[in-house]
Amino acid sequence: MSPLSSFFSRLGRSRVFWLCVAVMIALAVRSGAVEFTVADQAAQDRWAMILFGEMHLELPVILAIFAALFLGGEYDGGAIRNKLIVGCARWTVYGAALVTVSALAIGLALLYAGVAAVLCWLAHGPMPDPSRLPVYLAAVLLVCVAWSALFTALGLNCTRPAVSLVICLAVVGITFLACTRFLPAEIIAHDNGPEAALSRFFYNLLPIGQGDQLRIIDTDNLRDPPEALMPYSALFIVLATGAGLPLFWRKDLK
């Protein structure tokens, strides 16, 4: 059995996986239920908020918990070591883990958006202008892969699930705090110097900053369009994988 097949086979039997699915559905229902108490104003923004607004804060936490416990469980059960013993290359194991975590992240994002969209449609009717929805959704899913690359790098390089969980959640908190330092309003207020350019770069590079800018299906002078954010997501994926894979390659699993 290939590493990818092995990961997906265990995924369906994982209680952590089903718990994450249940929590994501509950969060989508909660967000959608709020729409029935909100006056029908600025329907386009209401749709954007219901689809993406809360997800960029909630999904990273859920994904961090899943990656830490699921990949940690692979270590506890000896599955990763067994894959290497039978001759699987380390890069294939790492790639399979990244694909598995990314697939879950994308699946949870689509599940959240689907449930929320149904409730938002019942509350407000169809989205007034869905023309920009596909590109925004693509950008959101790429952000999900960026988070997955980060948590895969952390999860595969920490053999203890509890320690990995603490580290993953701490990284989420640190990136959130980092983005509060690089708020768009502050960037615009000092928009003519290298500090402002560096601030905007890091704000666009960090997945939490990308997610914050994708909360509204519109662009203004404080937000970059999704087309401009996608290369930053791709760069973050490359950086996270470029850091995590060499560490895993040299890791002693005996």
Side-chain angles (χ1 to χ4, degrees), residues 117-146:
V118 170
L119 294 172
C120 194
W121 180 82
L122 292 174
H124 298 296
M127 178 181 284
D129 179 15
S131 61
R132 294 286 289 163
L133 182 60
V135 67
Y136 269 81
L137 183 59
V140 168
L141 296 183
L142 196 56
V143 172
C144 291
V145 178

Side-chain angles (χ1 to χ4, degrees), residues 173-183 203 206 208:
I174 290 170
T175 55
F176 177 79
L177 291 176
C179 280
T180 63
R181 171 63 181 86
F182 305 122
L183 288 174
Y203 186 76
L206 294 174
I208 196 75

Side-chain angles (χ1 to χ4, degrees), residues 110 116 178 184 234:
L110 292 175

Side-chain angles (χ1 to χ4, degrees), residues 81-127:
R81 185 171 180 271
N82 290 338
K83 290 179 177 65
L84 299 178
I85 289 175
V86 298
C88 295
R90 291 201 177 208
W91 70 268
T92 62
V93 175
Y94 192 98
L98 176 57
V99 170
T100 303
V101 177
S102 298
L104 175 82
I106 291 173
L108 290 180
L110 292 175
L111 178 64
Y112 181 101
V115 173
V118 170
L119 294 172
C120 194
W121 180 82
L122 292 174
H124 298 296
M127 178 181 284

Side-chain angles (χ1 to χ4, degrees), residues 5 23 25 43 46 51 67 91 99 119 127 138 150 153 159 179-180 182 201 208-209 213 235 239 252-253:
S5 299
V23 170
I25 293 175
R46 297 306 312 171
L51 292 177
W91 70 268
V99 170
L119 294 172
M127 178 181 284
L150 174 62
T159 58
C179 280
T180 63
F182 305 122
F201 172 79
I208 196 75
Q213 295 179 81
L235 175 59
L239 292 175
D252 184 6
L253 299 179

Side-chain angles (χ1 to χ4, degrees), residues 9-252:
S9 176
R10 181 171 175 263
L11 187 63
R13 304 191 305 270
S14 171
R15 288 178 292 180
V16 176
F17 165 75
W18 291 110
L19 179 60
C20 290
V21 170
V23 170
M24 208 64 185
I25 293 175
L27 291 173
V29 170
R30 184 206 65 184
S31 297
V34 172
E35 295 305 303
F36 289 94
T37 65
V38 176
D40 189 8
Q41 55 184 356
Q44 185 76 1
D45 286 347
R46 297 306 312 171
W47 266 94
M49 287 299 295
I50 192 66
L51 292 177
F52 309 136
E54 299 296 329
M55 189 194 304
H56 88 285
L57 294 174
E58 296 168 341
L59 182 59
V61 176
I62 295 173
L63 194 59
I65 294 172
F66 168 79
L69 298 181
F70 181 80
L71 296 178
E74 290 285 292
Y75 277 116
D76 277 351
I80 290 180
R81 185 171 180 271
N82 290 338
K83 290 179 177 65
L84 299 178
I85 289 175
V86 298
C88 295
R90 291 201 177 208
W91 70 268
T92 62
V93 175
Y94 192 98
L98 176 57
V99 170
T100 303
V101 177
S102 298
L104 175 82
I106 291 173
L108 290 180
L110 292 175
L111 178 64
Y112 181 101
V115 173
V118 170
L119 294 172
C120 194
W121 180 82
L122 292 174
H124 298 296
M127 178 181 284
D129 179 15
S131 61
R132 294 286 289 163
L133 182 60
V135 67
Y136 269 81
L137 183 59
V140 168
L141 296 183
L142 196 56
V143 172
C144 291
V145 178
W147 279 120
S148 300
L150 174 62
F151 296 137
T152 299
L154 295 173
L156 280 182
N157 286 291
C158 184
T159 58
R160 297 182 179 181
V163 176
S164 179
L165 178 60
V166 171
I167 293 174
C168 288
L169 292 177
V171 168
V172 174
I174 290 170
T175 55
F176 177 79
L177 291 176
C179 280
T180 63
R181 171 63 181 86
F182 305 122
L183 288 174
E186 294 296 325
I187 298 170
I188 296 301
H190 307 86
D191 204 24
N192 294 319
E195 182 179 352
L198 187 62
S199 296
R200 181 176 288 279
F201 172 79
F202 280 109
Y203 186 76
N204 288 343
L205 180 65
L206 294 174
I208 196 75
Q210 298 168 25
D212 182 54
Q213 295 179 81
L214 293 169
R215 292 184 300 119
I216 298 179
I217 304 183
D218 193 6
T219 58
D220 55 35
N221 62 346
L222 299 183
R223 294 181 175 87
D224 288 325
E227 299 90 340
L229 292 174
M230 289 185 193
Y232 288 97
S233 296
L235 175 59
F236 188 89
I237 293 168
V238 170
L239 292 175
T241 304
L245 180 55
L247 291 174
F248 179 70
W249 197 281
R250 297 192 298 267
K251 194 174 187 63
D252 184 6

